[in-house]
Coordinates of all heavy atoms in Angstrom, one line a residue:
T10 N 252.7 100.2 54.7 CA 252.5 101.6 55.0 C 251.8 102.2 53.8 O 251.8 101.7 52.7 CB 253.9 102.3 55.1 OG1 254.6 102.2 53.9 CG2 254.7 101.8 56.3
W11 N 251.1 103.3 54.1 CA 250.3 104.0 53.1 C 251.0 105.4 52.9 O 251.0 106.2 53.8 CB 248.9 104.2 53.5 CG 248.2 102.9 53.6 CD1 247.8 102.2 54.7 CD2 247.7 102.1 52.5 NE1 247.2 101.1 54.4 CE2 247.1 100.9 53.1 CE3 247.7 102.2 51.1 CZ2 246.5 99.9 52.3 CZ3 247.1 101.2 50.4 CH2 246.5 100.1 51.0
P12 N 251.6 105.6 51.8 CA 252.3 106.9 51.5 C 251.3 108.0 51.5 O 250.2 107.9 51.1 CB 252.9 106.7 50.1 CG 252.9 105.2 49.8 CD 251.8 104.7 50.6
R13 N 251.8 109.2 51.9 CA 251.0 110.4 51.9 C 251.0 111.1 50.6 O 250.0 111.6 50.1 CB 251.5 111.4 53.0 CG 251.2 110.8 54.4 CD 251.4 111.9 55.4 NE 251.4 111.2 56.7 CZ 252.3 111.4 57.7 NH1 253.3 112.2 57.5 NH2 252.2 110.7 58.8
N14 N 252.2 111.0 49.9 CA 252.3 111.6 48.6 C 251.6 110.7 47.6 O 251.9 109.5 47.6 CB 253.7 111.8 48.2 CG 254.4 112.9 49.0 OD1 253.7 113.7 49.6 ND2 255.7 112.9 49.1
N15 N 250.8 111.3 46.8 CA 250.1 110.5 45.7 C 249.3 109.3 46.3 O 249.3 108.2 45.8 CB 251.1 110.1 44.7 CG 250.4 109.9 43.3 OD1 249.3 110.2 43.1 ND2 251.2 109.5 42.4
A16 N 248.6 109.6 47.4 CA 248.0 108.5 48.2 C 247.0 107.7 47.5 O 246.9 106.5 47.6 CB 247.4 109.1 49.5
D17 N 246.2 108.4 46.6 CA 245.2 107.7 45.9 C 245.8 106.7 44.9 O 245.3 105.5 44.8 CB 244.3 108.6 45.1 CG 243.4 109.4 46.0 OD1 243.1 109.0 47.1 OD2 242.9 110.5 45.5
F18 N 246.8 107.1 44.2 CA 247.5 106.2 43.3 C 248.0 105.0 44.0 O 247.8 103.8 43.6 CB 248.7 106.9 42.6 CG 249.6 106.0 41.9 CD1 249.3 105.5 40.6 CD2 250.8 105.5 42.5 CE1 250.1 104.6 40.0 CE2 251.6 104.6 41.8 CZ 251.3 104.2 40.6
W19 N 248.7 105.2 45.2 CA 249.3 104.1 45.9 C 248.3 103.1 46.5 O 248.5 101.9 46.5 CB 250.3 104.6 46.9 CG 251.5 105.1 46.3 CD1 252.0 106.3 46.2 CD2 252.5 104.3 45.6 NE1 253.1 106.4 45.5 CE2 253.5 105.1 45.1 CE3 252.6 102.9 45.3 CZ2 254.6 104.7 44.4 CZ3 253.7 102.5 44.6 CH2 254.7 103.4 44.1
Q20 N 247.2 103.7 47.0 CA 246.1 102.8 47.5 C 245.6 102.0 46.4 O 245.4 100.8 46.6 CB 245.1 103.7 48.2 CG 244.0 102.8 48.8 CD 243.1 103.5 49.8 OE1 243.3 104.7 50.0 NE2 242.3 102.7 50.4
R21 N 245.3 102.5 45.2 CA 244.8 101.7 44.1 C 245.8 100.7 43.7 O 245.4 99.5 43.5 CB 244.5 102.6 42.9 CG 243.1 103.3 43.0 CD 242.7 103.9 41.6 NE 243.8 104.7 41.0 CZ 244.0 106.0 41.2 NH1 243.3 106.6 42.1 NH2 245.0 106.6 40.6
K22 N 247.1 101.0 43.6 CA 248.1 100.1 43.2 C 248.2 98.9 44.2 O 248.2 97.8 43.8 CB 249.5 100.9 43.2 CG 250.7 100.0 43.0 CD 250.7 99.5 41.6 CE 252.0 98.7 41.4 NZ 251.9 97.7 40.3
I23 N 248.2 99.2 45.5 CA 248.4 98.1 46.5 C 247.1 97.3 46.5 O 247.2 96.0 46.6 CB 248.8 98.7 47.9 CG1 250.2 99.3 47.7 CG2 248.7 97.7 49.0 CD1 250.6 100.2 48.9
E24 N 246.0 97.9 46.5 CA 244.7 97.1 46.5 C 244.6 96.2 45.2 O 244.1 95.1 45.3 CB 243.5 98.0 46.6 CG 243.4 98.7 47.9 CD 243.2 97.7 49.1 OE1 242.6 96.6 48.9 OE2 243.7 98.0 50.2
T25 N 245.1 96.7 44.1 CA 245.1 95.9 42.8 C 246.0 94.7 43.0 O 245.7 93.6 42.6 CB 245.6 96.8 41.6 OG1 244.6 97.9 41.5 CG2 245.6 96.0 40.4
N26 N 247.2 94.9 43.6 CA 248.1 93.8 43.9 C 247.4 92.8 44.8 O 247.6 91.6 44.5 CB 249.4 94.3 44.6 CG 250.3 95.1 43.6 OD1 250.1 95.1 42.4 ND2 251.2 95.8 44.2
R27 N 246.7 93.2 45.8 CA 246.1 92.3 46.7 C 245.0 91.5 46.0 O 244.9 90.3 46.2 CB 245.4 93.0 47.9 CG 246.4 93.5 48.9 CD 245.6 94.3 49.9 NE 246.3 94.5 51.2 CZ 245.9 95.3 52.1 NH1 244.8 95.9 52.1 NH2 246.7 95.5 53.2
R28 N 244.2 92.1 45.1 CA 243.2 91.4 44.4 C 243.8 90.4 43.4 O 243.3 89.3 43.3 CB 242.3 92.4 43.6 CG 241.3 93.1 44.4 CD 240.2 93.8 43.6 NE 240.8 94.9 42.8 CZ 241.1 96.1 43.1 NH1 240.8 96.5 44.4 NH2 241.6 97.0 42.3
R29 N 244.9 90.8 42.8 CA 245.6 89.9 41.9 C 246.2 88.7 42.6 O 246.1 87.6 42.1 CB 246.7 90.6 41.1 CG 247.4 89.8 40.0 CD 248.5 90.4 39.3 NE 249.5 90.8 40.2 CZ 249.9 92.1 40.4 NH1 249.3 93.1 39.8 NH2 250.9 92.3 41.3
D30 N 246.7 88.9 43.8 CA 247.2 87.8 44.6 C 246.1 86.8 45.0 O 246.3 85.6 44.8 CB 247.8 88.3 45.9 CG 249.1 89.1 45.7 OD1 249.7 89.1 44.6 OD2 249.5 89.8 46.7
K31 N 245.0 87.4 45.3 CA 243.8 86.5 45.7 C 243.4 85.7 44.4 O 243.1 84.5 44.5 CB 242.7 87.4 46.2 CG 241.5 86.6 46.7 CD 240.5 87.5 47.3 CE 239.3 86.8 47.9 NZ 238.3 86.5 47.0
D32 N 243.3 86.4 43.3 CA 242.9 85.8 42.1 C 243.9 84.7 41.7 O 243.5 83.6 41.2 CB 242.8 86.8 40.9 CG 242.4 86.2 39.6 OD1 241.2 85.7 39.6 OD2 243.2 86.3 38.7
T33 N 245.2 85.0 41.8 CA 246.2 84.0 41.5 C 246.0 82.7 42.4 O 246.1 81.6 41.9 CB 247.6 84.6 41.8 OG1 247.8 85.7 40.9 CG2 248.7 83.5 41.5
D34 N 245.8 82.9 43.7 CA 245.6 81.8 44.6 C 244.4 80.9 44.1 O 244.5 79.7 44.1 CB 245.4 82.3 46.0 CG 246.7 82.9 46.6 OD1 247.8 82.8 46.0 OD2 246.6 83.6 47.6
E35 N 243.3 81.6 43.8 CA 242.1 80.9 43.3 C 242.3 80.2 42.0 O 241.9 79.0 41.9 CB 241.0 81.9 43.2 CG 240.5 82.4 44.5 CD 239.5 83.6 44.4 OE1 239.3 84.1 43.2 OE2 239.1 84.1 45.4
R36 N 243.0 80.8 41.1 CA 243.3 80.1 39.8 C 244.1 78.9 39.9 O 243.9 77.9 39.3 CB 243.9 81.1 38.8 CG 243.0 82.1 38.2 CD 243.8 83.1 37.3 NE 242.9 84.1 36.7 CZ 243.0 84.5 35.5 NH1 243.9 83.9 34.7 NH2 242.2 85.4 35.0
L37 N 245.2 79.0 40.7 CA 246.1 77.9 40.9 C 245.3 76.8 41.7 O 245.5 75.6 41.3 CB 247.3 78.3 41.7 CG 248.3 79.2 41.0 CD1 249.5 79.6 41.8 CD2 248.7 78.7 39.7
A38 N 244.5 77.1 42.6 CA 243.7 76.1 43.4 C 242.8 75.3 42.4 O 242.6 74.1 42.6 CB 242.9 76.8 44.5
E39 N 242.2 76.0 41.5 CA 241.3 75.4 40.5 C 242.1 74.3 39.7 O 241.5 73.4 39.2 CB 240.7 76.4 39.5 CG 239.7 77.3 40.1 CD 239.3 78.5 39.2 OE1 239.8 78.6 38.1 OE2 238.5 79.3 39.7
E40 N 243.4 74.5 39.5 CA 244.2 73.6 38.8 C 244.9 72.6 39.7 O 245.8 71.8 39.2 CB 245.3 74.4 38.0 CG 244.7 75.3 36.9 CD 244.0 74.5 35.8 OE1 244.4 73.4 35.5 OE2 243.0 75.1 35.2
G41 N 244.6 72.6 41.0 CA 245.1 71.6 41.9 C 246.4 72.0 42.5 O 247.1 71.2 43.2
W42 N 246.8 73.3 42.4 CA 248.0 73.8 43.0 C 247.7 74.5 44.4 O 246.6 75.0 44.6 CB 248.6 74.8 42.1 CG 249.4 74.2 41.0 CD1 248.8 73.7 39.8 CD2 250.8 74.1 40.8 NE1 249.8 73.2 39.0 CE2 251.0 73.4 39.6 CE3 251.9 74.4 41.6 CZ2 252.3 73.1 39.2 CZ3 253.1 74.1 41.2 CH2 253.3 73.5 40.0
L43 N 248.7 74.6 45.2 CA 248.6 75.3 46.5 C 249.5 76.4 46.5 O 250.7 76.3 46.2 CB 248.9 74.3 47.7 CG 248.9 75.0 49.0 CD1 247.4 75.4 49.4 CD2 249.4 74.1 50.1
S44 N 249.0 77.6 46.7 CA 249.8 78.8 46.8 C 250.2 79.0 48.3 O 249.4 79.0 49.1 CB 249.1 80.1 46.3 OG 248.8 79.9 45.0
L45 N 251.5 79.3 48.5 CA 252.0 79.7 49.8 C 252.5 81.1 49.7 O 253.3 81.4 48.8 CB 253.1 78.7 50.3 CG 252.8 77.4 50.8 CD1 254.0 76.6 51.2 CD2 251.9 77.5 52.0
R46 N 252.1 81.9 50.6 CA 252.6 83.3 50.6 C 253.5 83.5 51.8 O 253.2 83.1 52.9 CB 251.4 84.2 50.8 CG 250.4 84.1 49.6 CD 250.6 85.1 48.6 NE 249.9 84.8 47.4 CZ 250.1 85.4 46.2 NH1 251.1 86.3 46.1 NH2 249.4 85.1 45.2
V47 N 254.7 84.1 51.5 CA 255.7 84.4 52.5 C 255.9 85.9 52.5 O 256.2 86.4 51.4 CB 257.0 83.6 52.2 CG1 258.1 84.1 53.2 CG2 256.8 82.1 52.2
W48 N 255.7 86.5 53.6 CA 256.0 88.0 53.7 C 257.5 88.2 53.8 O 258.2 87.4 54.5 CB 255.3 88.6 55.0 CG 253.8 88.7 54.8 CD1 252.9 87.9 55.5 CD2 253.1 89.6 54.0 NE1 251.6 88.3 55.1 CE2 251.7 89.3 54.1 CE3 253.5 90.5 53.0 CZ2 250.7 90.0 53.4 CZ3 252.5 91.2 52.4 CH2 251.1 91.0 52.6
E49 N 258.0 89.3 53.3 CA 259.4 89.6 53.3 C 259.9 89.7 54.7 O 261.1 89.5 54.9 CB 259.7 90.8 52.5 CG 259.2 92.1 53.1 CD 259.6 93.3 52.3 OE1 260.6 93.3 51.5 OE2 259.0 94.4 52.5

């Protein structure tokens, strides 16, 4: 969900998390690891 209060902050925060997740998966793959993502 995208909160209405302080929407810009939360959008940046969640998008930053997504970018970090993608970067993590790529870094681990470079080292021969496989990342599995499980949604709550």
Side-chain angles (χ1 to χ4, degrees):
T10 58
W11 296 102
R13 290 189 192 132
N14 291 339
N15 209 1
D17 290 339
F18 167 81
W19 286 111
Q20 184 163 3
R21 278 193 313 275
K22 171 73 175 154
I23 293 167
E24 290 300 328
T25 299
N26 289 348
R27 284 177 164 172
R28 282 192 301 274
R29 187 182 58 243
D30 292 345
K31 185 175 185 276
D32 180 64
T33 298
D34 294 348
E35 290 169 357
R36 285 178 179 222
L37 293 181
E39 288 170 3
E40 297 292 329
W42 284 77
L43 177 65
S44 295
L45 282 180
R46 300 265 168 196
V47 175
W48 288 108
E49 71 177 338

